[in-house]
Amino acid sequence: MERAEESKRLRSLDRSEGPEQPCEGYTVRQLAELSGCTVRTLHHYDELGLVRAHRAANGYRRYGPAEVARLQQVLLYREADMPLSDIKRLLDDPAFDARSALAGHLRELQARRRRLDGLIASVRRTLACMEGEDAMSDRERFEAFKQSLVDENERRYGAEVRKRWGDDAADACNAKVMGMDEEQYGRAQALEQEVKDALAAALRTGDTTGEEARCAADLHRQWLCCFWGDGAYSKEAHRGLADAYVADERFKAYYDAVAPGAAAFLRDAIHAYCA
């Protein structure tokens, strides 16, 4: 229901640039009715400088085309669960390209829809199989999960991967995941946890060149090779990715969840392993 209301709200804002917009701009109450936001929410956005109304001659808040367009951007990013502070920083960035950002958001929504459609289809097939109406191969049981993994990785890291290593490398990685059988998929999932366990053990030694650290780095290599295209692994590429684990806050947070400082330790261990 909430998703439907959000879609309705965004469609309303899409139409708000037409001739029905008041020449002096919308009042707070009018924009609240149009967008589905509450008056209190609009006041809050104004106070944060997120969507700042201008003042009419009578002193009342008014929202023109620019503010309406900005509110739509805010709602789109809120739909993606982005914090208000991050949205404001993004929209206030002089380099912000609204068209490019919207195109990126569209790709993300389409990927999310594909993941949900795949999971829905998998559940339907499984129910039909349970009721004896259909047969389902072992490979088909895992197709939706693999597609979900590919789409999620594409959403989170696709742009950086394609920029750094190219479309061919990214497409080969996705194809390898989709080609996994049940055993290969299970092994990749198990390796991910093994890397974390080995990293935690190595971190306790404090030695990035010791046997425990080499074990963690080697398990990490094996895990990468589950996803990278055949022949794509190299020590140079492994070191480059390790550097990103510290430079990129998303990677850093993932590994530091194992233990504080784990991302930097893994980077150093991989550099020693790949020396």
Side-chain angles (χ1 to χ4, degrees), residues 6 9 13 27-46 51 61 63 71 75:
E6 186 70 21
R9 179 189 309 175
L13 284 173
T27 65
V28 177
R29 191 166 298 280
Q30 286 172 334
L31 186 56
E33 181 179 352
L34 175 70
S35 67
C37 293
T38 65
V39 170
R40 182 176 180 179
T41 294
L42 292 177
H43 284 169
H44 182 54
Y45 288 172
D46 195 351
V51 182
R61 289 181 174 91
Y63 295 88
L71 177 60
L75 296 179

Side-chain angles (χ1 to χ4, degrees), residues 23 60 163 195 256 258:
C23 59
Y60 289 113
K163 182 178 180 180
V195 170
D256 280 355
V258 174

Side-chain angles (χ1 to χ4, degrees), residues 56-84:
N58 59 8
Y60 289 113
R61 289 181 174 91
R62 292 284 181 170
Y63 295 88
E67 291 76 34
V68 171
R70 183 168 169 112
L71 177 60
Q72 185 194 26
Q73 289 284 345
V74 170
L75 296 179
L76 284 169
Y77 285 114
R78 285 297 291 157
E79 172 68 9
D81 297 323
M82 184 181 291
L84 292 178

Side-chain angles (χ1 to χ4, degrees), residues 74-259:
V74 170
L75 296 179
L76 284 169
Y77 285 114
R78 285 297 291 157
E79 172 68 9
D81 297 323
M82 184 181 291
L84 292 178
S85 59
D86 290 349
I87 296 174
K88 185 177 187 304
R89 184 165 54 251
L90 177 68
L91 298 183
D92 288 345
D93 186 341
F96 175 71
D97 183 340
R99 183 181 182 86
S100 176
L102 192 60
H105 191 70
L106 176 61
R107 289 192 296 271
E108 181 176 331
L109 290 173
Q110 289 171 332
R112 186 188 302 174
R113 182 175 65 183
R114 286 195 299 270
R115 290 196 299 274
L116 289 174
D117 286 346
L119 291 171
I120 289 170
S122 181
V123 170
R124 284 176 174 166
R125 286 290 306 279
T126 302
L127 286 172
C129 184
M130 288 178 174
E131 295 168 1
E133 299 175 3
D134 197 2
M136 193 175 191
S137 69
D138 289 341
R139 177 176 290 273
E140 288 174 320
R141 292 180 188 277
F142 292 93
E143 284 300 300
F145 297 107
K146 291 187 292 185
Q147 186 63 62
S148 181
L149 177 62
V150 166
D151 290 341
E152 180 64 14
N153 286 338
E154 190 72 35
R155 181 185 72 82
R156 297 179 65 184
Y157 311 116
E160 293 97 326
V161 169
R162 292 178 183 279
K163 182 178 180 180
R164 185 163 187 170
W165 286 290
D167 289 336
D168 289 345
D171 292 341
C173 176
N174 292 340
K176 189 163 186 179
V177 173
M178 293 307 298
M180 288 180 179
D181 59 27
E182 181 181 354
E183 182 179 353
Q184 291 168 329
Y185 181 77
R187 178 56 181 155
Q189 298 299 305
L191 270 171
E192 182 176 7
Q193 187 58 49
E194 289 177 27
V195 170
K196 292 180 181 179
D197 293 341
L199 177 58
L203 190 60
R204 288 192 290 271
T205 71
D207 183 1
T208 59
T209 63
E211 187 61 32
E212 291 84 352
R214 288 186 62 82
C215 177
D218 185 65
L219 285 169
H220 188 266
R221 176 193 62 79
Q222 294 179 47
W223 179 68
L224 288 180
C225 290
C226 288
F227 300 98
W228 286 8
D230 294 339
Y233 177 84
S234 70
K235 290 183 176 181
E236 181 183 1
H238 200 177
R239 288 194 300 265
L241 185 61
D243 291 337
Y245 287 168
V246 177
D248 190 307
E249 287 299 322
R250 294 168 302 175
F251 288 123
K252 187 173 184 294
Y254 174 81
Y255 284 104
D256 280 355
V258 174

